[in-house]
């Protein structure tokens, strides 16, 4: 290991992270190269606790359904709901089954106990109400937005009644048809009813904008924040459903791009409220263009992180997590000429690496990309090092808690 590489290595703590950044970002993204590994969630939990206690961060946003996340936020701020129910109803993608996520919720409740609202920590999901097999009905978001506006503006300003929305929405299983993800003809997204709903959603959002002074004056900050969440989610879901009905070759590329656009909007909204730690896949949080293969086709799109970084500059920072091994998935020790292989030779089980300094140290020869034998793990792309603020390296997934 060369002295230049060794000099780029730090302990994983807030002070070391901040030393790599020009300013404290409103959004500090901690990416991960795979989902569901306990050690990565433990490292995330410990970092979040330290950033709350030492740097004043007050929100954690994870790659989970933004509407379901409201259940968790209510629980950690007011104690609403039993923990078992919150873990089941407050997380998508089955994230509620992970012990580290349960521990995160418990810690947030304990931290908030007895604190004034202004000092409490908050929880947010930043993904849309989307699964890999499809998208949710826009019913919850649309009706919640309509209900909010109905209570605060003159009826004459509303573009429709709740009954009209219900008739146009129809049965939810029309929207959640799993076959629609692969077969655009099975999607309801471009039906006459869906087209009318897109117009009404746009009108409701316009009403939310034009009546902002009155709405802010007659709402709590949480009510206003959630109304905007419902509005952008309704618009985003209807846009996504429309793209699901698109038979063109660009269909899948549009879908993944729209998903990240919804993520970016949720992250920007979180940043408005408080400094936020973000946790999701590296591919959703990186500054560089994201790529993947789906159905045998190569896809490229701008990630949520890339969109947010373009909008906010130094207010966004990105730490990419890299792994040495995931032996239970057949991912063994990395080749020594890869970025992960070079870091694997370090003595530390976990460490923080200055990515840009590392890129300079490894410029000649440039590391080769690591190839994963398992589809669920995405190695670091050496070409992306210059766009990463820091690398959190975890040597082995069976290592236990990091710090």
């Amino acid at each position: 290991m060369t002295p230049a590489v060794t000099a780029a290595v730090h302990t994983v703590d807030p002070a070391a992270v901040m030393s790599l950044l020009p300013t404290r970002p409103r959004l500090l993204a901690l990416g991960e190269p795979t989902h569901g590994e306990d050690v990565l969630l433990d490292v995330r939990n410990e970092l979040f606790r330290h950033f709350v206690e030492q740097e004043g961060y007050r929100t954690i946003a994870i790659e989970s359904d933004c509407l379901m996340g409201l259940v968790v936020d209510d629980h950690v701020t007011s104690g609403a709901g039993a923990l078992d129910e919150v873990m089941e109803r407050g997380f998508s993608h089955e994230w509620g089954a992970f012990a580290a996520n349960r521990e995160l919720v418990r810690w947030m409740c304990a931290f908030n106990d007895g604190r004034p609202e202004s000092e409490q920590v908050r929880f947010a999901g930043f993904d849309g109400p989307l699964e890999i097999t499809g998208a949710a009905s826009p019913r919850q978001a649309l009706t919640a937005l309509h209900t909010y506006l109905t209570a605060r503006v003159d009826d004459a300003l509303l573009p429709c009644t709740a009954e009209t929305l219900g008739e146009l929405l129809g049965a939810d299983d029309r929207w959640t048809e799993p076959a629609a993800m692969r077969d655009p003809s099975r999607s309801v997204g471009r039906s006459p009813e869906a087209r009318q709903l897109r117009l009404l959603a746009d009108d409701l959002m316009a009403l939310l904008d034009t009546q902002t002074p009155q709405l802010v004056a007659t709402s709590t900050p949480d009510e206003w924040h959630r109304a905007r969440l419902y509005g952008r989610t309704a618009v985003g879901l209807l846009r996504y459903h429309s793209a699901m009905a698109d038979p063109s070759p660009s269909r899948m590329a549009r879908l993944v791009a729209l998903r990240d656009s919804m993520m970016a909007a949720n992250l920007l909204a979180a940043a408005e409220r408080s400094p936020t730690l973000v946790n999701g896949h590296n591919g959703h949080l990186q500054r560089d263009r994201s790529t993947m293969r789906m159905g045998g086709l190569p896809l490229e799109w701008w990630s949520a992180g890339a969109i947010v970084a373009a909008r906010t500059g130094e207010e966004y920072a990105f730490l990419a997590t890299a792994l040495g091994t995931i032996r239970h998935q057949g991912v063994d020790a990395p080749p020594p000429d890869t970025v992960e292989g070079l870091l694997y030779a370090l003595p530390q089980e976990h460490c923080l690496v200055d990515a840009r300094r590392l890129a300079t140290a490894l410029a000649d020869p440039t590391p080769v990309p690591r190839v994963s034998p398992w589809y669920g793990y995405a190695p670091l792309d050496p070409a992306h090092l210059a766009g990463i603020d820091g690398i959190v390296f975890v040597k082995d997934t069976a290592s236990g808690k990091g710090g």
Side-chain angles (χ1 to χ4, degrees):
M1 188 64 58
T2 68
V5 172
T6 303
V9 178
H10 308 268
T11 57
V12 185
D13 61 51
V17 171
M18 291 304 173
S19 74
L20 304 182
L21 307 175
T23 186
R24 186 185 77 159
R26 295 287 291 183
L27 289 169
L28 175 60
L30 175 66
E32 58 183 16
T34 185
H35 287 315
E37 291 298 326
D38 291 338
V39 66
L40 300 187
L41 298 178
D42 288 339
V43 168
R44 175 206 66 188
N45 285 357
E46 189 162 349
L47 271 176
F48 180 57
R49 289 194 295 269
H50 290 165
F51 272 99
V52 167
E53 294 164 353
Q54 299 173 28
E55 295 292 339
Y57 280 68
R58 283 297 178 266
T59 301
I60 185 166
I62 76 167
E63 189 185 324
S64 184
D65 184 324
C66 57
L67 299 184
M68 296 178 77
L70 298 176
V71 173
V72 184
D73 191 53
D74 284 340
H75 179 72
V76 301
T77 56
S78 68
L83 180 59
D84 286 345
E85 180 184 10
V86 169
M87 298 310 296
E88 181 178 351
R89 295 180 49 242
F91 293 83
S92 61
H93 306 90
E94 301 182 351
W95 298 150
F98 288 92
N101 285 335
R102 191 181 189 90
E103 177 58 30
L104 172 68
V105 174
R106 280 184 175 141
W107 180 86
M108 294 177 75
C109 288
F111 181 89
N112 285 341
D113 188 24
R115 293 180 186 270
E117 183 178 347
S118 61
E119 296 179 13
Q120 290 186 343
V121 290
R122 310 296 297 259
F123 180 93
F126 73 89
D127 202 354
L130 308 170
E131 293 284 352
I132 196 164
T133 55
S137 163
R139 179 185 306 279
Q140 180 185 356
L142 264 180
T143 55
L145 175 62
H146 189 276
T147 299
Y148 169 84
L149 290 169
T150 299
R152 291 168 175 82
V153 302
D154 293 338
D155 287 347
L157 296 176
L158 293 166
C160 65
T161 64
E163 291 73 21
T164 297
L165 281 183
E167 292 170 2
L168 291 171
L169 285 162
D172 283 348
D173 58 10
R174 298 168 63 231
W175 299 92
T176 58
E177 166 61 63
M181 178 54 74
R182 296 292 182 183
D183 181 358
S185 69
R186 301 291 294 275
S187 172
V188 71
R190 295 191 176 180
S191 64
E193 295 86 355
R195 293 179 187 275
Q196 183 63 25
L197 285 168
R198 288 189 75 183
L199 292 174
L200 291 174
D202 184 70
D203 286 343
L204 290 169
M205 283 297 287
L207 189 57
L208 195 69
D209 287 340
T210 59
Q211 300 301 306
T212 293
Q214 176 183 335
L215 295 173
V216 169
T218 57
S219 305
T220 66
D222 271 0
E223 288 170 338
W224 174 242
H225 173 80
R226 292 188 178 195
R228 294 168 63 210
L229 170 62
Y230 291 133
R232 65 177 177 270
T233 302
V235 170
L237 275 174
L238 288 164
R239 189 181 291 143
Y240 192 90
H241 279 289
S242 178
M244 287 181 71
D246 177 14
S248 76
S250 63
R251 176 176 181 270
M252 292 308 301
R254 287 187 62 208
L255 287 173
V256 294
L258 285 172
R259 180 187 179 193
D260 272 78
S261 175
M262 292 176 71
M263 289 181 173
N266 287 331
L267 291 178
L268 290 167
E272 288 181 12
R273 302 187 79 184
S274 65
T276 299
L277 180 73
V278 183
N279 182 228
H281 198 281
N282 287 334
H284 290 305
L285 300 177
Q286 66 189 32
R287 289 186 177 91
D288 292 277
R289 201 163 174 82
S290 297
T291 61
M292 68 180 295
R293 296 189 70 86
M294 185 174 290
L297 297 175
L299 304 179
E300 291 190 5
W301 73 101
W302 290 111
S303 73
I307 295 169
V308 170
R311 294 273 298 274
T312 65
E314 293 180 351
E315 291 291 293
Y316 180 79
F318 171 49
L319 306 178
T321 299
L323 282 170
T325 70
I326 320 174
R327 297 191 192 278
H328 60 280
Q329 298 291 0
V331 181
D332 293 321
D337 55 351
T338 64
V339 172
E340 290 90 342
L342 290 159
L343 298 178
Y344 196 74
L346 294 168
Q348 296 94 333
E349 289 295 324
H350 310 140
C351 61
L352 173 70
V353 183
D354 184 332
R356 296 185 178 92
R357 193 167 184 175
L358 182 67
T360 300
L362 302 180
D364 186 21
T366 302
V368 300
R370 186 183 190 184
V371 178
S372 173
W374 176 49
Y375 73 93
Y377 165 60
L380 277 181
D381 185 340
H384 291 173
L385 287 178
I388 299 172
D389 295 297
I391 300 169
V392 176
F393 183 71
V394 176
K395 182 171 284 190
D396 299 296
T397 55
S399 298
K401 279 198 173 188

